[in-house]
Amino acid sequence: MPEKQNVEWKSKWKDEYLEWICGFANAQGGKIYIGCDDNGNVTGLKNTHKLLEDIPNKIRNAMNIVVDVNLLGDNGKEYIEIIVPPYPVAISCKGVYYYRSGSTMQTLSGLELESFILRKRGASWDNMPLPGFTIDDIDDELVKKFKGLAVNKGRIDKSVLLESKEDLMEKLCLTNAGCYTNAAMLLFSKNPDKWQLGAYTKIGFFETDADLRYQDEIHGSILEQIDKIIEVLHLKYMKAIISYEGIQRIERYFVPDDALREALLNALCHKQYESCTPIQISVYEDRLYIANCGKLPENWTVENLMSKHASKPYNPAIANAFYLAGFIESWGRGIEKICQACEEDGSPAPVYTVHPGDIMIRFTASKDRVLRIFADKVTDRVTDRVTDRVTESEQELLTLLIEDPAYTYVTLAKKLGVSRKTVSLKIKSLKGKGILQRIGSDTKGYWKINNE
């Protein structure tokens, strides 16, 4: 029988196995068999009676815990079974904390150790008190905005609109030990950076993995970051493929809006803010990554994440506020909604990558959504048909109208660096050649290039 997550086979006893026992105790428990080869075949021990006395004493002295140590036999060969139960409190082995993850043993330190001890105590970082953060640091406008969102969603009673912000913090369970919590700060402070490093979102556009072209940072309350992030992504980082149904303008980005919003909310809600590392959004021409310092619930895999699962937020107080504001559901359907939005939009399914210290989601553009490739093909086709009939400056104007058929005279003049009158003359010339026509009104219509 091969080794698995909570079973280890060892040919003889070594004191270093105390670390494995500690790791089992801190995780889901497990068993160690002494006197067996790597396949679980019994090889036997000669000193079993001494080990039956020594092992419990060494475990007690190193960890101050009690485990079952049993003598077993098989075909006249004796071996030892050590049964380690899962402990509800954090266990250290000679002052060092170990944790069994999969089939490996991890040494916990720093952020991971702090987070682990909090979880063992039934606490979470977002519920920890933040001394020095007072009611005066809670922004009245943010409180008003939250109340409006929650009442409109029907998740709190209208009477809350008349309550003080002190009462609201109590009802949201954002107080602890007489102080307001980290969650209260992230949700209702205009400037969380004053209290917590890395409480913002970083966005960058990459030509290649090594070529960052430009970047932005989105700061402020996490209640407001979501809309700011999407606005900046749409205005500066992601160009939409524009089409028309009649005179209705249709904009389609390569990441569906519902999927993008849900993925960003997941990152804001489940991030390990104590890591002091911002959420990082990397945008390329044909793909987008959202990475944040976070971790899956214990014993979860990517398969668990992608299948139906219970809601287990890393920051329950933040998740509760997001739910009341109508940002998220409370049933662990975030991943399902992201995948469903991509499927309905005809976009590739997102791909999740889970590292020891972070979780990343990748959205990939379908071929018809990569704007530069799409625009180049259209430009080439238009050029082939009309190049012998237009001037170079008229071709520049046509290229801009391929980018966005709704560009106004003012916008075209600004982009071409010419006067509005010059643009008007070029358009008049192109219309006279039968190459350009106006569809709809001057204010709500668009330009159509007749390239046939």
Side-chain angles (χ1 to χ4, degrees):
M1 180 179 179
E3 293 179 349
K4 52 186 179 180
Q5 180 171 334
N6 54 356
V7 175
E8 285 285 337
W9 310 96
K10 302 298 177 184
S11 60
K12 61 182 179 179
W13 170 259
K14 296 180 181 179
D15 285 352
E16 64 190 57
Y17 298 153
L18 292 170
E19 299 171 4
W20 294 86
I21 292 171
C22 178
F24 280 136
N26 283 326
Q28 303 301 309
K31 298 178 180 180
I32 300 179
Y33 292 92
I34 310 299
C36 300
D37 63 20
D38 291 342
N39 294 317
N41 300 312
V42 177
T43 57
L45 294 169
K46 295 181 180 179
N47 55 344
T48 52
H49 294 287
K50 185 174 188 304
L51 288 174
L52 283 174
E53 181 179 344
D54 289 349
I55 291 175
N57 289 334
K58 289 182 177 182
I59 293 171
R60 186 172 56 252
N61 293 336
M63 289 168 267
N64 197 30
I65 63 173
V66 176
V67 303
D68 289 333
V69 182
N70 304 313
L71 178 62
L72 303 178
D74 182 54
N75 292 325
K77 297 177 181 178
E78 293 183 331
Y79 64 108
I80 288 177
E81 176 189 54
I82 303 171
I83 304 176
V84 186
Y87 271 73
V89 297
I91 303 298
S92 70
C93 178
K94 300 178 181 179
V96 180
Y97 291 83
Y98 300 93
Y99 187 85
R100 175 78 169 198
S101 178
S103 59
T104 63
M105 193 63 58
Q106 297 179 6
T107 301
L108 300 179
S109 61
L111 169 63
E112 285 298 322
L113 177 58
E114 179 183 351
S115 175
F116 168 74
I117 291 176
L118 281 175
R119 293 197 308 273
K120 283 294 187 179
R121 292 175 178 172
S124 60
W125 179 87
D126 67 336
N127 192 46
M128 296 299 291
L130 182 59
F133 184 79
T134 70
I135 193 68
D136 295 330
D137 297 303
I138 295 175
D139 186 80
D140 292 338
E141 288 302 314
L142 287 170
V143 170
K144 182 179 178 181
K145 178 179 180 178
F146 173 82
K147 287 180 177 179
L149 289 169
V151 169
N152 288 339
K153 196 67 177 178
R155 290 178 176 173
I156 61 174
D157 191 84
K158 290 183 179 180
S159 61
V160 173
L161 294 173
L162 303 176
E163 293 183 352
S164 67
K165 58 184 179 181
E166 291 92 340
D167 290 339
L168 179 65
M169 295 302 109
E170 290 288 343
K171 286 191 172 182
L172 294 177
C173 299
L174 297 179
T175 61
N176 188 354
C179 297
Y180 293 105
T181 62
N182 287 320
M185 173 269 295
L186 290 171
L187 291 162
F188 296 106
S189 168
K190 274 288 187 183
N191 184 25
D193 298 306
K194 175 182 176 182
W195 307 95
Q196 179 62 41
L197 292 174
Y200 64 96
T201 300
K202 208 173 192 177
I203 309 173
F205 185 86
F206 292 80
E207 185 94 5
T208 66
D209 289 346
D211 188 9
L212 172 64
R213 302 307 300 271
Y214 50 89
Q215 62 181 339
D216 286 281
E217 292 180 358
I218 308 299
H219 295 262
S221 160
I222 59 175
L223 283 174
E224 295 187 318
Q225 279 192 37
I226 178 65
D227 289 331
K228 292 178 181 178
I229 293 168
I230 292 175
E231 181 180 14
V232 170
L233 284 173
H234 282 176
L235 289 177
K236 187 173 179 179
Y237 288 83
M238 299 170 65
K239 290 190 177 294
I241 299 297
I242 298 169
S243 60
Y244 288 85
E245 293 180 4
I247 63 171
Q248 183 181 8
R249 175 187 170 103
I250 308 296
E251 294 185 353
R252 299 181 72 196
Y253 295 93
F254 72 79
V255 181
D257 287 351
D258 289 346
L260 178 61
R261 184 177 183 85
E262 196 69 33
L264 290 171
L265 285 169
N266 276 353
L268 288 165
C269 189
H270 298 293
K271 173 185 169 182
Q272 285 184 291
Y273 286 92
E274 61 269 38
S275 69
C276 302
T277 303
I279 294 169
Q280 298 176 33
I281 304 174
S282 304
V283 186
Y284 295 74
E285 179 189 71
D286 59 351
R287 60 196 187 279
L288 180 148
Y289 298 88
I290 302 173
N292 71 303
C293 287
K295 62 187 304 177
L296 297 179
E298 289 185 15
N299 299 315
W300 275 35
T301 64
V302 175
E303 287 71 26
N304 297 120
L305 189 68
M306 299 303 291
S307 60
K308 186 172 179 61
H309 57 267
S311 177
K312 293 185 178 181
Y314 184 81
N315 299 299
I318 292 174
N320 180 57
F322 275 26
Y323 167 74
L324 293 174
F327 289 173
I328 63 173
E329 300 296 332
S330 62
W331 296 97
R333 293 186 60 244
I335 308 300
E336 181 183 342
K337 290 172 69 176
I338 292 171
C339 294
Q340 182 179 346
C342 289
E343 181 179 356
E344 291 176 351
D345 189 66
S347 298
V351 176
Y352 276 88
T353 304
V354 179
H355 298 116
D358 66 80
I359 299 175
M360 178 183 292
I361 182 173
R362 184 188 76 212
F363 293 99
T364 304
S366 54
K367 290 182 179 180
D368 64 336
R369 301 289 182 86
V370 182
L371 184 63
R372 190 175 73 184
I373 296 173
F374 178 81
D376 285 350
K377 288 180 179 178
V378 176
T379 301
D380 290 343
R381 187 170 69 245
V382 172
T383 301
D384 290 343
R385 302 294 180 104
V386 306
T387 189
D388 58 335
R389 300 157 56 198
V390 302
T391 65
E392 183 177 344
S393 60
E394 288 172 345
Q395 179 61 55
E396 290 178 0
L397 187 144
L398 288 173
T399 301
L400 286 174
L401 292 180
I402 291 170
E403 179 180 306
D404 189 342
Y407 276 154
T408 64
Y409 282 87
V410 174
T411 302
L412 290 168
K414 183 177 180 180
K415 286 182 173 289
L416 291 171
V418 298
S419 67
R420 187 183 184 282
K421 183 177 180 181
T422 300
V423 170
S424 179
L425 290 172
K426 292 180 188 297
I427 287 178
K428 183 178 180 180
S429 172
L430 290 167
K431 290 171 71 176
K433 296 173 183 178
I435 295 170
L436 193 65
Q437 70 179 106
R438 184 71 179 177
I439 306 296
S441 68
D442 290 340
T443 56
K444 296 184 179 180
Y446 66 96
W447 296 104
K448 180 181 178 182
I449 298 173
N450 300 318
N451 59 317
E452 295 301 328

